[in-house]
Amino acid sequence: MEKIDLSRITLRPFKLEDADDFLLFAGDDQVTRYLRWKTLTSKEEALEHIKDVCINHPWRRSICIDDRSIGFVSIFPFSGDDRCRANFGFGVAVKYWGHGIATKAVKMAVPQFFVDFPHVVRLEAFVDVDNKASQKVVEKAGFQKEGMLRKYAYHKGRLTDFVVYSFLSSDLPIVEA
């Protein structure tokens, strides 16, 4: 496996020009297996998703290598009485699994989000109990495992257990391992 220089990883807002790269991971069932959205099947769907979801999202960033989109980090702040919390998620193209890219991107995203949304004090990540790789990523990035939510939600037609993790603004700075 070729080692990837993690200093080449950047986060930036999505742009319509990312459609072809976006489709490479958003069109892969292995990547979308644990995501709430369906696998995309065309460049048109990728463009629509970028335009309607990614660009309009309060805090969704493209994970890039040399400015080419290879994944995403999504943090959605709640409102009202829940405005202290935000939901956290991410995904990376299969060819980049196992290189530390997701962990690096999460470690980059978390402190920036807390700067951009200073009223949020808690990030929450709900990870499918079967998604061991994502559990490892959030743990390496400093999220604390809080427990398992049994039969918590339907995901793609299956009633699923989720492991819940949190990261508090007071947990900063993230210590590099």
Side-chain angles (χ1 to χ4, degrees):
M1 182 183 325
E2 178 188 339
K3 184 149 175 58
I4 294 176
D5 177 3
L6 296 180
S7 70
R8 295 170 47 209
I9 305 299
T10 58
L11 300 177
R12 62 160 170 77
F14 277 94
K15 49 192 180 187
L16 293 176
E17 295 78 20
D18 292 326
D20 289 325
D21 292 332
F22 186 82
L23 187 59
L24 291 176
F25 63 85
D28 186 333
D29 289 331
Q30 291 181 86
V31 175
T32 62
R33 174 180 179 192
Y34 295 113
L35 300 179
R36 291 243 175 226
W37 30 287
K38 69 178 183 70
T39 304
L40 305 184
T41 59
S42 69
K43 184 174 180 177
E44 291 72 30
E45 283 184 343
L47 281 166
E48 185 176 308
H49 191 90
I50 291 169
K51 182 169 63 80
D52 296 343
V53 178
C54 299
I55 291 174
N56 289 324
H57 194 281
W59 209 97
R60 182 168 292 191
R61 298 295 183 267
S62 175
I63 301 170
C64 298
I65 293 181
D66 302 329
D67 206 41
R68 300 285 307 264
S69 184
I70 62 159
F72 72 94
V73 176
S74 176
I75 309 176
F76 192 87
F78 296 113
S79 58
D81 287 344
D82 295 323
R83 66 189 175 277
C84 62
R85 298 185 293 128
N87 193 23
F88 187 90
F90 63 93
V92 175
V94 172
K95 78 181 252 182
Y96 296 104
W97 289 1
H99 291 278
I101 291 169
T103 302
K104 173 74 172 175
V106 170
K107 287 180 175 182
M108 292 168 67
V110 168
Q112 186 57 57
F113 177 82
F114 283 127
V115 168
D116 295 346
F117 289 84
H119 64 280
V120 174
V121 297
R122 175 186 169 88
L123 300 181
E124 299 173 337
F126 294 85
V127 184
D128 188 304
V129 72
D130 295 329
N131 190 350
K132 303 299 185 198
S134 288
Q135 291 176 43
K136 286 180 186 173
V137 167
V138 294
E139 288 170 5
K140 286 180 186 176
F143 279 70
Q144 300 298 308
K145 182 177 182 179
E146 295 186 336
M148 184 174 67
L149 302 171
R150 299 181 312 148
K151 307 292 184 222
Y152 183 70
Y154 281 95
H155 181 253
K156 299 190 176 176
R158 181 175 68 91
L159 192 54
T160 306
D161 297 342
F162 284 87
V163 181
V164 63
Y165 291 88
S166 69
F167 193 105
L168 304 181
S169 57
S170 59
D171 294 336
L172 289 170
I174 297 174
V175 178
E176 289 295 325

